[in-house]
Amino acid sequence: MIDKDFMQDLEEEEEQQIIEVKQQIEDEPTCSLLKDNKFLLHYQRVLEVSAYQIQDETIDASHEEYHLILRSNEYSTIIDQEILNIHKQLKDVYHKKFPELEKIIINPIEYVKIVRLIRNAIDLQSIDFSSLLSGQQVVAVNIAAKQSLVGQLSEEDISLVDQLCHKIETLDNYNQKIICYIESRMKYIAPNVSALIGTQLASKLMAAAGGIEKLANMPAGNIQVMGSVKKNMLGMSRAMHNRNTGYFGTLEIVQKASGKLQNQIVRMLATNVAKAARVDNMKTCPKGNVGEDLRIKMMKRYQKIQEPPPAKLEKPLPIPDENKKRRRGGKRFRKQKERLAMTEVRKYANRLKFGLEAEDEIKDTGIGLGMLSQGIGKVKLHIKKDKPIGLSKKLQQRLAQTKTQSGGGTGGLTSSIAFTPTQGIELINPEPGYLSKVPDQYFNRESGFRTVLRKEREFGRQY
């Protein structure tokens, strides 16, 4: 069970947060843009300039509207930040009514529209969210309302919520008109980028980057993820959820592509936008021909990627060569042929005599003995007398070595022990005349070290 003191502390903290938000609203530190005279004058100037068309082909740094467009890009970024700050205050106030709504609806503008519909209602089943939310989000809002929807807010809190929603709607209206003005001038500032992806998306990219110069200095990987917003899937499957599409996800070609192709087309778009932005920054092609060429090449490559792989053709076997091929000859090939030649036993096993019954198989293997099992025929071992049995050189050397070790003429079974009737066991020399073959110089009495013999001859033996 949750302690009552703990719940009371939570309620006191929420009330303290609401008091702080009210104080911020009274001071209006985050909504200073609506009271900024410079911004209001700039907005009036944008409304005036957007009423007429430009006669020049390009807008460069010397044009009077160039700095106005750059300043509009800066104000568009500032407005987005202001909306996020007010959205944070709105969530702090409305958290007391519906705490789970901020986790389901992340976009500030959508959050404001849903809050406008719900306001202080208790039963959400009667409210139609289908025009603002997807089917999954509608189900998630209804389930979360049954579990976490708290009682009604006070009139003071409701007026505060309406005030914050009005500020966000006002800032969003200003931002939309400024972006429309930038879109109308994009074909003069960035003609190649506009020809590649359209003026609407080109204005969003340039506004997010802060100008055509900063967009030209950006790598393609950063351009690819511009405008990415975190999405809360609420336990739903992420299999069909595509990441890192950003602003490019609004294009029709990206939305119609499949999962793998979608990532490829987004990378191709980001790479070509980086190229076109650098061309626009250098002002080398004011008519947008480079952007058109990049778009045509990209679409051709995309169509090539979409094509199915070519079918595998069954390769026919080569035509057999009827001419007899020359066989290898030589000593090695003849030996191999003799080793694998058909023996007489194999020949008789493959033969059957006409008119006799079929032979029995060996254990159902389908192999029989042929004429060998019938006792017919004579198997002869043919040995060519004129041709000696082939021995390898290594084996011949071994045989020669054993012969020399065994004493040449004597066999290997000769023993040096003899039994005599007089002496019994007697050691004899199996090879007579062996000692006579030994040189005399080793066993001669006169043999010895040469130096000793020389001294004996000179001085005589001293002992």
Side-chain angles (χ1 to χ4, degrees):
M1 296 294 292
I2 300 175
D3 192 3
K4 293 183 179 180
D5 296 336
F6 179 71
M7 294 297 297
Q8 189 175 359
D9 293 339
L10 285 178
E11 292 177 359
E12 290 178 359
E13 288 181 4
E14 289 180 357
E15 291 178 359
Q16 184 66 27
Q17 288 179 357
I18 293 173
I19 292 171
E20 292 177 359
V21 171
K22 290 178 182 178
Q23 187 66 30
Q24 289 179 0
I25 295 299
E26 291 176 0
D27 299 337
E28 291 198 39
T30 57
C31 200
S32 57
L33 195 63
L34 293 175
K35 290 188 175 182
D36 189 1
N37 292 327
K38 290 184 179 179
F39 170 70
L40 296 176
L41 289 173
H42 175 82
Y43 181 69
Q44 292 295 328
R45 176 65 178 163
V46 166
L47 295 178
E48 292 174 2
V49 172
S50 59
Y52 61 88
Q53 297 292 332
I54 297 178
Q55 297 180 357
D56 299 335
E57 293 183 354
T58 59
I59 297 178
D60 52 7
S62 61
H63 200 275
E64 58 180 356
E65 288 192 30
Y66 181 77
H67 297 285
L68 183 67
I69 295 169
L70 293 181
R71 189 60 181 163
S72 298
N73 285 324
E74 295 176 3
Y75 273 127
S76 178
T77 307
I78 294 171
I79 289 172
D80 290 336
Q81 189 62 40
E82 290 281 342
I83 289 174
L84 291 176
N85 294 336
I86 300 173
H87 177 232
K88 186 176 181 300
Q89 294 180 1
L90 179 61
K91 288 190 295 184
D92 293 338
V93 177
Y94 207 70
H95 183 81
K96 190 174 180 181
K97 167 71 176 174
F98 197 173
E100 295 295 328
L101 184 62
E102 61 190 59
K103 297 179 182 179
I104 302 171
I105 311 299
I106 299 174
N107 189 5
I109 308 302
E110 292 180 357
Y111 185 83
V112 168
K113 292 179 180 178
I114 299 301
V115 169
R116 286 284 199 187
L117 286 176
I118 299 175
R119 293 191 84 247
N120 216 3
I122 297 176
D123 185 16
L124 303 187
Q125 298 293 333
S126 59
I127 302 175
D128 185 17
F129 298 108
S130 59
S131 60
L132 300 175
L133 303 177
S134 62
Q136 291 182 355
Q137 289 177 327
V138 171
V139 173
V141 168
N142 290 327
I143 293 173
K146 293 179 181 179
Q147 296 177 355
S148 64
L149 192 63
V150 196
Q152 295 182 345
L153 295 174
S154 62
E155 294 183 0
E156 186 177 1
D157 293 337
I158 285 295
S159 63
L160 183 59
V161 167
D162 292 338
Q163 188 179 356
L164 291 171
C165 290
H166 177 69
K167 288 180 180 179
I168 292 176
E169 290 172 348
T170 304
L171 288 173
D172 183 60
N173 187 23
Y174 287 164
N175 196 20
Q176 292 298 326
K177 290 184 178 179
I178 290 173
I179 289 175
C180 288
Y181 165 69
I182 296 172
E183 288 178 7
S184 64
R185 299 297 187 263
M186 278 306 299
K187 60 182 180 180
Y188 303 106
I189 299 176
N192 294 285
V193 178
S194 301
L196 178 63
I197 56 175
T199 56
Q200 184 178 3
L201 184 55
S203 64
K204 289 181 181 179
L205 292 176
M206 200 175 76
I212 191 64
E213 294 180 1
K214 293 182 179 180
L215 183 63
N217 294 329
M218 274 189 179
N222 293 3
I223 297 174
Q224 178 182 346
V225 297
M226 286 177 68
S228 297
V229 180
K230 180 182 177 183
K231 291 184 180 181
N232 193 346
M233 302 304 291
L234 301 167
M236 304 295 181
S237 174
R238 293 178 181 269
M240 302 302 294
H241 175 57
N242 295 312
R243 297 169 131 195
N244 300 334
T245 54
Y247 289 130
F248 294 109
T250 59
L251 292 176
E252 185 179 0
I253 186 174
V254 177
Q255 292 176 354
K256 289 183 178 180
S258 59
K260 294 181 179 179
L261 293 177
Q262 199 169 39
N263 294 331
Q264 285 185 331
I265 190 65
V266 168
R267 286 198 298 269
M268 291 163 60
L269 283 166
T271 304
N272 291 319
V273 165
K275 295 177 184 177
R278 288 161 193 167
V279 173
D280 290 334
N281 188 31
M282 298 297 294
K283 305 294 182 185
T284 55
C285 183
K287 294 185 178 181
N289 296 331
V290 174
E292 288 289 344
D293 294 341
L294 288 173
R295 183 178 178 82
I296 292 170
K297 291 179 181 178
M298 183 185 68
M299 294 306 297
K300 285 183 179 179
R301 184 164 177 257
Y302 181 61
Q303 291 174 1
K304 187 72 176 175
I305 293 172
Q306 284 182 308
E307 292 179 359
K312 292 184 178 179
L313 299 176
E314 293 185 0
K315 189 176 180 180
L317 293 174
I319 300 172
D321 191 5
E322 296 180 357
N323 299 330
K324 241 185 177 183
K325 294 183 179 179
R326 293 184 61 186
R327 298 292 180 183
R328 179 191 169 104
K331 185 178 180 182
R332 184 182 299 175
F333 182 74
R334 286 196 302 272
K335 286 184 178 181
Q336 182 182 1
K337 196 172 181 182
E338 290 174 3
R339 187 167 62 250
L340 302 175
M342 180 74 73
T343 62
E344 292 291 328
V345 175
R346 194 68 183 162
K347 287 179 182 178
Y348 277 102
N350 292 337
R351 291 175 183 172
L352 284 175
K353 194 170 181 181
F354 181 75
L356 297 179
E357 295 182 0
E359 58 181 334
D360 296 332
E361 297 179 358
I362 302 175
K363 295 183 180 180
D364 298 331
T365 56
I367 302 173
L369 296 178
M371 293 180 68
L372 294 175
S373 63
Q374 300 170 2
I376 299 172
K378 295 180 181 180
V379 180
K380 295 181 180 180
L381 181 64
H382 295 280
I383 300 175
K384 294 181 180 179
K385 295 181 179 180
D386 56 341
K387 188 175 183 181
I389 299 173
L391 295 176
S392 62
K393 290 183 179 180
K394 196 171 184 181
L395 189 57
Q396 291 175 7
Q397 290 176 1
R398 273 190 184 179
L399 291 172
Q401 189 175 1
T402 54
K403 282 183 180 181
T404 55
Q405 288 178 358
S406 63
T410 61
L413 300 175
T414 307
S415 177
S416 60
I417 300 175
F419 295 92
T420 60
T422 57
Q423 295 181 356
I425 300 175
E426 183 182 357
L427 289 173
I428 62 171
N429 186 8
E431 297 182 6
Y434 176 73
L435 291 175
S436 62
K437 296 178 183 179
V438 179
D440 295 338
Q441 58 183 353
Y442 291 103
F443 299 100
N444 193 1
R445 195 165 175 172
E446 297 295 330
S447 65
F449 293 102
R450 294 179 182 179
T451 55
V452 176
L453 292 174
R454 189 172 62 250
K455 288 181 181 180
E456 285 182 358
R457 292 191 187 99
E458 291 176 1
F459 304 103
R461 182 173 291 194
Q462 297 178 0
Y463 52 90

